[in-house]
Amino acid sequence: MTKRVVLIGHPVAHSLSGAMHQAAFDALGIDARYELWDRPPIGLAEAIETLRSDEFLGANVTIPHKERVVPMVDRLTEEAQATGAVNTITKDGRRLVGHNTDVPGFKVALDRLVGRQKMPRQAVVLGAGGGARAVVYGLITAGFQRVVVFNRHLHRAEALVRHFARSAAHMELRAMPWHESIIEAELAKTKVLVNATSVGLGDEDESPIPGELIPPDLLVLDLIYSRTKLLRDAEAAGCTVMDGELMLLHQGAAAFSLWTGREAPLEIMAAALREARSAGLRSAEGEPAGTVATDAGAGSGSSEGGGAAGGDGVAGGKAPDR
Ligand code: NDP
């Protein structure tokens, strides 16, 4: 029987995950099909119950359901529990287990971005949604001592900080209001900047912050899977930058191994991602893809050279577009 794995989100039509996972199943001769299930919040519980049937290996969960799905599974892994967000579901018989593979995906990207330098201890995070939760937990467990979270709606950043109160007890985790002067002051004191907002994902070529606020020598990671205005501004300021491709690849690879018990074919998955992107898909997980990117080479600071699977995946300050 052909096994099924589904991506549950709303919307999901533009997801890159389908191309990546189907290529991996096919390459390893695994008789499985990856399907996109567009389910609004009201249809989520029923979709999750359906997964208990034998034909399903598991699922991915994406925007806007990552937090809502938490009480619908039978067990959570440590990372899912700690972040309060689930992006991958596996089966234990009929029981459903919730995982968060965005956390290991982020950590691979962070390690690659930092390279041979000593791991920094201070970071600024823009955004407080499901992606930001994985980022903040990744920073806490990587030994960061000061992390400041800015969010358009401050209460959401405050809720995130409260959520991590226990795991961040040994360090300083703060929510701050979204004012340019405060962001500028914090950026001047930090080493790492992570964009976990969805600003830059759509057609508008927007950045969450003005380029003038960005000091040189920052390490800048944008979770969005394209060469965003933020990354271009940061590179022009002399920063080292990376987009969300590597994180996307490695959260997918971790999910693949959980479903199949097999090592993920990273090179094949990376190639499938590049091909899907050159065909016009640019959203990380299933959000509206916006304008079609027609030139694969113009999109990302990190995707060339097998950025994900083999190359360093990092664009140094003032590096030419690759
Ligand atoms: P959520 O919907 O949970 O959160 C969206 C975030 O963006 C919130 O912090 C929201 O702020 C902020 N935001 C949206 N619009 C604006 C705006 N106009 N100005 C300022 N802030 C804004 O999404 P996720 O956290 O799941 O995803 C966020 C981004 O990260 C997406 O682009 C997604 O593609 C990417 N991502 C990439 C991954 C990867 O593997 N590369 C993995 C996970 C996410 P507010 O709360 O105030 O509305």
Side-chain angles (χ1 to χ4, degrees):
M1 176 178 50
T2 302
K3 294 283 189 180
R4 301 166 73 185
V5 179
V6 297
L7 170 68
I8 305 172
H10 183 62
V12 291
H14 298 282
S15 171
L16 290 162
S17 293
M20 174 170 73
H21 285 301
Q22 196 61 56
F25 290 141
D26 294 348
L28 298 193
I30 296 170
D31 185 13
R33 193 171 66 231
Y34 193 92
E35 301 169 20
L36 308 182
W37 282 8
D38 190 329
R39 297 288 185 276
I42 195 156
L44 180 63
E46 192 187 335
I48 298 297
E49 276 310 300
T50 310
L51 299 176
R52 296 184 191 277
S53 154
D54 274 355
E55 66 202 280
F56 292 94
L57 276 182
N60 277 140
V61 180
T62 189
I63 287 177
H65 302 317
K66 283 184 185 177
E67 291 158 62
R68 198 174 283 118
V69 78
V70 166
M72 297 177 187
V73 297
D74 302 301
R75 189 162 68 76
L76 296 171
T77 61
E78 185 198 322
E79 279 153 350
Q81 176 88 51
T83 53
V86 164
N87 81 325
T88 299
I89 295 175
T90 56
K91 307 275 297 288
D92 179 6
R94 280 179 58 81
R95 289 166 60 78
L96 304 177
V97 183
H99 307 251
N100 190 318
T101 67
D102 284 338
V103 176
F106 168 70
K107 286 180 113 167
V108 171
L110 178 68
D111 282 345
R112 193 74 63 84
L113 180 65
V114 170
R116 294 190 183 163
Q117 304 174 48
K118 197 165 161 280
M119 183 59 76
R121 295 283 177 244
Q122 301 91 18
V124 165
V125 178
L126 306 177
R133 281 177 176 239
V135 167
V136 168
Y137 188 64
L139 293 169
I140 293 170
T141 52
F144 277 64
Q145 289 303 308
R146 186 164 195 275
V147 175
V148 179
V149 180
F150 289 95
N151 198 52
R152 179 177 56 172
H153 295 102
L154 178 60
H155 65 88
R156 201 169 175 194
E158 289 171 338
L160 181 152
V161 168
R162 276 197 303 278
H163 179 87
F164 286 109
R166 195 179 294 176
S167 32
H170 62 286
M171 43 90 71
E172 189 182 0
L173 175 63
R174 299 188 63 180
M176 289 197 185
W178 190 288
H179 290 308
E180 284 179 10
S181 58
I182 306 178
I183 295 175
E184 185 171 26
E186 285 301 324
L187 288 181
K189 290 190 267 185
T190 203
K191 292 278 184 277
V192 173
L193 168 63
V194 181
N195 177 36
T197 75
S198 44
V199 180
L201 192 61
D203 292 349
E204 297 83 13
D205 196 29
E206 288 172 345
S207 173
I209 54 172
E212 309 83 77
L213 305 191
I214 305 172
D217 300 331
L218 278 187
L219 301 172
V220 181
L221 174 63
D222 197 329
L223 265 46
I224 295 172
Y225 175 56
S226 69
R227 192 172 147 75
T228 56
K229 180 162 185 347
L230 173 70
L231 294 184
R232 298 196 311 274
D233 288 348
E235 212 171 53
C239 301
T240 301
V241 305
M242 179 187 272
D243 73 17
E245 177 191 4
L246 200 60
M247 179 172 169
L248 177 69
L249 175 70
H250 282 272
Q251 65 76 27
F256 182 90
S257 296
L258 288 167
W259 297 321
T260 63
R262 306 272 297 271
E263 196 177 326
L266 274 180
E267 297 283 355
I268 284 164
M269 294 170 82
L273 276 181
R274 280 198 295 277
E275 196 179 323
R277 191 174 134 227
S278 68
L281 297 183
R282 57 184 268 204
S283 79
E285 296 187 294
E287 305 84 338
T291 308
V292 169
T294 49
D295 176 3
S300 164
S302 72
S303 64
E304 306 306 302
D312 67 3
V314 179
K318 300 199 164 60
D321 290 358
R322 290 180 292 163

